[in-house]
Amino acid sequence: MNNETAQLINRYLDAYQIVTRRIGARIREGIAEGLTSDQFTILRLIHGQEKCTSTFLAEACCVGKSSITAIVNRLVEAGLIDRTRDESDRRQVYLTISSLGSQVFDEANQNVSEILTPYLLHFDEDQIEQFISMFEKLADLMKESGGQEE
C-alpha cells in the first residue's frame, strides 16, 4: 500500500468514526423511548416491505437469523409488529408492522429526519445524491465481493 492510499484510508476512518458515533448517538436520542436503534432499523425495513421475512431482515442487517429472531420477538411482545403465516405454505412467516408499530415508527422516523436534515442543508442536491450513490456502491461491494475483483 502506498502512502497516498494509506492517507485516504486514514481520512476515511477518521471521518467514519466521527460521523457514525455522533450521528448514531443523535439518532438513538431521537428514537422513541424504549425502542433500540436495532429495533428501529427492523421497523424501518418491515415498513418498506410488502411481505417481509426474518431471512430478508437477517440479510439486510448482515446478522444471523437468531439475532433477528430475538429482536422480532421483543417487537411482537411490544405489539409493534405481527407475525402472519402464509396460507399456502404454513412454514413461511411474514412480518408486518402493526398500527401501534406504525405510529411509533412514524414518530421515530420524523425525529431522525429532523436530526439529519440540518446536516444535509450544507450540501447541494447533486452533492447529496453523489455521496449517497457512492456510499450505496460501497455497501454493495461489501455485500457482494468484499471489494475484491471477481
Side-chain angles (χ1 to χ4, degrees), residues 8-105:
L8 290 172
I9 289 171
N10 284 329
R11 285 176 56 200
Y12 170 81
L13 291 172
D14 291 344
Y16 170 82
Q17 183 171 2
I18 291 169
V19 170
T20 56
R21 284 184 183 227
R22 292 193 180 167
I23 292 291
R26 298 277 323 272
I27 288 172
R28 282 188 297 277
E29 291 169 7
I31 294 173
E33 191 170 319
L35 192 65
T36 68
S37 56
D38 286 342
Q39 290 171 335
F40 172 73
T41 298
I42 297 302
L43 287 177
R44 187 177 65 78
L45 289 168
I46 293 172
H47 187 265
Q49 296 291 313
E50 188 175 326
K51 290 187 174 184
C52 188
T53 64
S54 292
T55 301
F56 168 80
L57 295 174
E59 290 171 4
C61 295
C62 302
V63 298
K65 275 189 75 174
S66 60
S67 297
I68 293 299
T69 299
I71 295 169
V72 165
N73 286 343
R74 285 190 288 278
L75 291 170
V76 168
E77 289 168 12
L80 301 177
I81 63 173
D82 298 312
R83 287 185 176 111
T84 308
R85 294 209 177 268
D86 187 303
E87 292 300 321
S88 60
D89 182 356
R90 302 290 293 159
R91 297 170 295 176
Q92 185 66 52
V93 177
Y94 296 114
L95 306 168
T96 55
I97 197 163
S98 69
S99 296
L100 175 61
S102 194
Q103 290 172 356
V104 169
F105 170 75

